Amino acid sequence: MFSAIDHLHMAEALRLAMRGLYTTAPNPRVGCVIANGEVVLGRGFHERAGAPHAEVFALREAGDAARGATAYVTLEPCAHHGRTPPCADALVRAGVAHVVVAIGDPFDRVAGAGIVRLRDAGIAVDVGLMAAAARELNIGFLSRIERGRPWVRVKLATTLDGRTAPADGSRLTITSAAAQRDGHRWRARASAILTGVDTVLADDPQLTVRLDVPHTTPLRVIADTRLRTPPTARLLRDTAARVLIVCGETADGERRRALEATGAEVVALPFADGRIDLHALMALLAERHVNELHVEAGAALAGALLHAGLIDECVLYQSHALLGADARPVFAGALASMRHWTLHDERRIGPDRRLVLRPKPED
């Protein structure tokens, strides 16, 4: 159904979409190529929320040459007025003859309406070219729309024997500077970064993105059942990034007011098994338009997410150091049965090994 030239142009559209990896949230990452045969007439990608969409930039570059050409788009063109006019209408006005779409857009204000509008205007539309790569690029956006929760990615750093810290919990740098820089790239693509209050108390982290590239600033989220976060924490002193603290329904009111006085938002959530209901937290974050949730937390919160079945992906950095059996594990809590993971990606990051793992689907 699709030719080698079709694949070539869609691959270029996907590469263009990748340029918005750190900047489009909460919108999807989208690329577009306008071509006539092998000749590329225009290229574009969505740069940030509120800016023109990929199709608009590609059509501007193509100009009048877009008439009778083919548009390759990584996500179904929108058919509604949001911050920008409908892209489906722009393609119709430009007179393109054919549109090739990688995947449909499940957002309820699109959800096939863009394709219908194009076809009603007499434009041939084909869907499904390089769909797996397009879904991967927008895995968080699709998770939020289709499942009502973010894509949850847990970042872990372990020794060769699978330990994360000495037995006394003291802070220890396990991985190399190269691995730490790579970790900031994962932070940059996320809409929010989640940690637990134990990590705040032990490490006093900033949870900021320290990369010299354009990026949106992720929301920083602290899971803190009893509001033990000190108002002097570094996260709260950095006003450039918003902070959301989620607590239990019985949290102390005076502590809440002290934290809110720093500018943080405090939201009480229901309990589940004596702790914050993590499913309710995911629903809350989806309502806040969080696509990808990046988790950097200790064994307690990581273990709770694991037991709740909420981890979609682990980014595991493994060094060549050893800490011994008494050191702290990756996940707290005993597993009822063996958990199997599939290896999605593996590579060297400096002297360390990075594994990207996803839960194996249940048989």
Side-chain angles (χ1 to χ4, degrees):
M1 178 177 174
F2 297 111
S3 69
I5 291 174
D6 291 332
H7 280 83
L8 182 69
H9 292 320
M10 186 61 80
E12 173 65 7
L14 286 164
R15 283 192 291 271
L16 288 164
M18 279 288 292
R19 294 174 64 179
L21 186 67
Y22 302 148
T23 57
T24 64
N27 288 2
R29 300 142 184 159
V30 184
C32 178
V33 169
I34 309 292
N36 190 345
E38 296 183 16
V39 180
V40 174
L41 307 170
R43 299 177 177 87
F45 71 98
H46 184 45
E47 296 177 359
R48 64 185 183 279
H53 291 184
E55 297 93 326
V56 174
F57 286 114
L59 288 169
R60 284 178 185 172
E61 187 175 303
D64 292 339
R67 187 163 300 278
T70 298
Y72 297 85
V73 192
T74 59
L75 186 71
E76 177 184 357
C78 62
H80 66 288
H81 283 270
R83 297 188 189 181
T84 58
C87 291
D89 290 353
L91 291 166
V92 171
R93 287 193 302 271
V96 300
H98 186 197
V99 176
V100 179
V101 178
I103 57 173
D105 187 342
F107 181 53
D108 58 6
R109 297 184 69 186
V110 185
I115 292 170
V116 169
R117 188 166 300 186
L118 294 171
R119 287 176 173 159
D120 285 349
I123 297 172
V125 181
D126 291 309
V127 182
L129 176 59
M130 303 183 73
R135 285 194 66 86
E136 187 68 32
L137 181 62
N138 280 306
I139 202 162
F141 172 79
L142 295 171
S143 176
R144 174 169 64 85
I145 300 300
E146 295 173 344
R147 302 191 298 173
R149 71 170 181 84
W151 178 264
V152 178
R153 179 181 294 115
V154 177
K155 179 250 183 181
L156 304 165
T158 76
T159 57
L160 194 60
D161 52 350
R163 300 292 163 166
T164 62
D168 61 4
S170 57
R171 188 170 185 177
L172 179 68
T173 301
I174 292 176
T175 53
S176 65
Q180 292 167 42
R181 285 194 300 272
D182 190 68
H184 279 273
R185 296 186 183 96
W186 291 101
R187 283 186 182 183
R189 64 176 288 168
S191 302
I193 303 171
L194 171 66
T195 194
V197 65
D198 289 339
T199 299
V200 174
L201 294 172
D203 298 339
D204 197 18
Q206 291 177 284
L207 296 185
T208 52
V209 177
R210 293 186 285 281
L211 288 180
D212 191 22
V213 296
H215 62 271
T216 57
T217 302
L219 170 70
R220 294 173 297 172
V221 185
I222 306 172
D224 184 1
T225 304
R226 298 189 301 278
L227 289 182
R228 293 183 292 143
T229 299
T232 56
R234 289 203 297 172
L235 279 85
L236 302 177
R237 297 201 301 269
D238 180 5
T239 58
R242 293 174 298 136
V243 177
L244 170 65
I245 303 174
V246 291
C247 62
E249 294 172 309
T250 58
D252 182 80
E254 185 174 343
R255 291 180 182 177
R256 176 171 184 158
R257 288 188 289 274
L259 291 169
E260 288 175 334
T262 70
E265 180 183 6
V266 181
V267 175
L269 292 176
F271 283 113
D273 299 323
R275 64 172 68 238
I276 292 170
D277 185 338
L278 294 174
H279 291 277
L281 172 57
M282 297 306 142
L284 173 67
L285 294 177
E287 291 173 2
R288 304 293 178 93
H289 299 106
V290 172
N291 293 339
E292 296 181 19
L293 176 64
H294 181 85
V295 182
E296 294 191 22
L301 180 54
L305 289 165
L306 178 66
H307 287 280
L310 288 171
I311 298 179
D312 297 304
E313 186 171 75
C314 282
V315 177
L316 174 65
Y317 298 91
Q318 189 176 52
S319 73
H320 292 165
L322 296 169
L323 274 173
D326 292 335
R328 298 200 170 184
V330 176
F331 298 109
L335 293 176
S337 62
M338 185 180 294
R339 297 286 179 92
H340 292 275
W341 297 73
T342 59
L343 181 62
H344 183 69
D345 182 72
E346 180 178 10
R347 64 186 65 190
R348 283 277 173 201
I349 305 293
D352 303 315
R353 183 169 66 146
R354 189 192 75 190
L355 306 175
V356 179
L357 303 155
R358 294 180 179 175
K360 184 178 179 181
E362 296 292 337
D363 294 332

